[in-house]
């Protein structure tokens, strides 16, 4: 990793680990119900394309009711267009095929659906606002959510956020998102690129060599008159679908290895910073994150956290399901304290 992509965090007292359960308070669905609600949000033509792909991918599933829905993360796995790469070379599965269209709909639909839900609660204050008030320079937030509810809470507080340490200014909030975000968009080419600081689009990392950008005001569009990147910006958000490789899906094909390496730098730097923060923190506060089996990298990091016997460590969990607490205890082989069941009642200043 280039020198300018390496940095040291200062003193870290607490890491907040945020999962999908924390966003339910704002009306966002869980991953178990997301597929059903997303399909229902599509027009009839796109809905039929996606439902056909779901029937092909999940034998016996007709999706005629919420009870028959499929897990959204597993849907992304099974619709991964990389599986069709060799068929495309043979002329069997062209880019406009229904199957590829379904894969695109799953990602674009995710962006449109989650963005719409976030817009509905743009001015609604809630537990994320309380959390942001408690975040200081010795705190780091790690969110595995694709939504932008945390970003909106930061902006409501009159503060700024950054996805990597170099962007932190003043009382800015360091918000690490190792699974990407609906307001992240990759650049797919590397020639003649520029973005103005007055644009809503900005670069993740120390320079544009990451080829990864984000919308600073996540609900607002990009003013492309202040950039030269409109023609090379990916059409779908940059997220990490839960797969065996946990590779970043940038919503398109990078021009070459230099561009792809830039995308990798962003994710490597993100995970490196997550590891540094967890290594240094005295306290890990988990909110609405059930430690799912698809998150092998996170499980490995938390097992490392729990092995630091020489330091005083605490793992505190806010979750309504006692089974989640037991899962942490069994996997990490440490004592875990349940400090609340409802995120809305959680007071981070009491820690």
């Amino acid at each position: 990793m280039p020198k300018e992509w390496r940095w040291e965090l200062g003193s870290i007292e607490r890491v907040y680990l945020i999962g999908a359960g924390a966003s339910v308070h704002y009306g966002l669905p869980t991953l178990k119900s997301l597929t059903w609600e997303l399909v229902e949000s599509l027009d009839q033509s796109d809905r039929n394309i996606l439902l056909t792909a779901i029937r092909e991918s999940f034998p016996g599933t007709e999706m005629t009711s919420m009870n028959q829905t499929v897990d959204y993360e597993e849907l992304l796995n099974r619709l991964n267009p990389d599986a069709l790469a060799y068929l495309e070379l043979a002329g069997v599965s062209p880019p406009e095929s229904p199957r590829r269209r379904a894969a695109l709909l799953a990602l674009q639909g995710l962006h449109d659906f989650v963005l719409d839900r976030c817009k509905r609660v743009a001015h609604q204050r809630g537990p994320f606002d309380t959390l942001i008030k408690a975040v200081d320079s010795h705190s780091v937030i790690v969110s595995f959510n694709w939504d932008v509810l945390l970003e909106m809470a930061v902006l409501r507080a009159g503060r700024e956020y950054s996805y990597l340490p170099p962007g932190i200014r003043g009382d800015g909030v360091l918000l690490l998102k190792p699974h990407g975000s609906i307001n992240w968009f990759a650049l797919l080419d590397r020639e003649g690129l520029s973005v103005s600081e007055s644009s809503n689009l900005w670069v993740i990392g120390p320079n544009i060599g990451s080829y990864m950008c984000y919308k600073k005001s996540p609900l607002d569009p990009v003013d492309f008159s202040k950039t030269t990147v409109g023609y090379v910006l990916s059409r779908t958000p940059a997220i990490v679908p839960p797969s065996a490789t946990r590779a970043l899906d940038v919503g398109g094909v990078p021009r070459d290895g230099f561009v792809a390496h830039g995308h990798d730098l962003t994710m490597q730097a993100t995970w490196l910073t997550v590891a540094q923060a967890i290594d240094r923190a005295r306290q890990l506060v988990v909110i609405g994150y059930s430690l799912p089996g698809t998150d092998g990298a996170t499980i490995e990091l938390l097992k490392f956290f729990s092995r630091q016997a020489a330091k005083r460590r605490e793992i505190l969990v806010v979750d309504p399901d006692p089974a989640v607490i037991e899962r942490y205890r069994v996997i990490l082989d440490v004592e875990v304290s349940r400090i609340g069941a409802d995120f809305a009642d959680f007071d981070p200043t009491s820690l």
Side-chain angles (χ1 to χ4, degrees), residues 5 203-204 206-212 258-259 261-263 265-266:
W5 282 84
V203 178
I204 300 176
N207 54 57
I208 207 167
S210 70
Y211 305 107
M212 287 289 298
F258 288 100
V259 177
H261 179 59
H263 302 157
L265 281 176
T266 300

Side-chain angles (χ1 to χ4, degrees), residues 108-341:
Q108 187 60 55
L110 173 72
H111 170 269
D112 296 346
F113 176 82
V114 175
L115 184 66
D116 176 69
R117 288 298 179 92
C118 289
K119 285 181 176 179
R120 293 184 191 183
V121 295
H123 305 292
Q124 177 181 317
R125 294 191 173 273
F128 277 138
D129 296 277
T130 304
L131 177 63
I132 293 302
K133 285 181 181 179
V135 171
D136 57 21
S137 60
H138 302 293
S139 306
V140 173
I141 298 178
V142 178
S143 173
F144 295 107
N145 297 342
W146 298 317
D147 65 57
V148 290
L149 295 175
L150 275 164
E151 288 89 337
M152 292 157 56
V154 173
L155 296 177
R156 281 196 297 268
R159 301 170 70 178
E160 296 181 351
Y161 62 88
S162 177
Y163 293 119
L164 285 173
I168 294 293
R169 298 185 295 190
D171 67 345
V173 175
L174 179 57
L175 176 54
L176 302 171
K177 300 188 83 168
H179 289 179
S181 184
I182 64 160
N183 67 320
W184 289 20
F185 295 90
L187 301 174
L188 303 177
D189 207 331
R190 58 188 173 92
E191 293 188 351
L193 304 178
S194 67
V195 292
S196 167
E197 194 163 357
S198 61
S199 169
N200 190 30
L201 195 70
W202 195 238
V203 178
I204 300 176
N207 54 57
I208 207 167
S210 70
Y211 305 107
M212 287 289 298
C213 297
Y214 71 98
K215 293 193 298 181
K216 293 184 288 188
S217 296
L219 304 183
D220 296 335
V222 177
D223 180 359
F224 285 109
S225 68
K226 298 177 181 179
T227 77
T228 62
V229 302
Y231 73 102
V232 299
L233 200 67
S234 60
R235 291 183 295 164
T236 57
I239 66 169
V240 180
S243 63
T245 58
R246 303 295 302 188
L248 183 72
D249 189 329
V250 296
V253 180
R255 170 185 168 177
D256 53 32
F258 288 100
V259 177
H261 179 59
H263 302 157
D264 287 341
L265 281 176
T266 300
M267 300 314 297
Q268 289 170 6
T270 299
W271 277 101
L272 177 62
T273 309
V274 171
Q276 285 183 0
I278 288 178
D279 179 48
R280 298 182 180 202
R282 178 187 66 82
Q283 198 173 69
L284 185 65
V285 182
V286 183
I287 304 172
Y289 181 66
S290 62
L291 201 62
T294 50
D295 289 358
T298 307
I299 291 174
E300 194 70 8
L301 268 181
L302 296 187
K303 287 168 70 175
F304 174 80
F305 176 94
S306 67
R307 288 195 298 264
Q308 305 305 297
K311 302 177 182 178
R312 180 171 175 263
R313 301 281 192 163
E314 286 185 305
I315 298 181
L316 312 176
V317 180
V318 179
D319 199 284
D321 188 356
V324 170
I325 313 301
E326 185 60 21
R327 177 169 172 79
Y328 273 85
R329 287 174 178 155
V330 170
I331 291 180
L332 304 183
D333 193 26
V334 294
E335 186 57 36
V336 178
S337 300
R338 187 186 189 199
I339 57 173

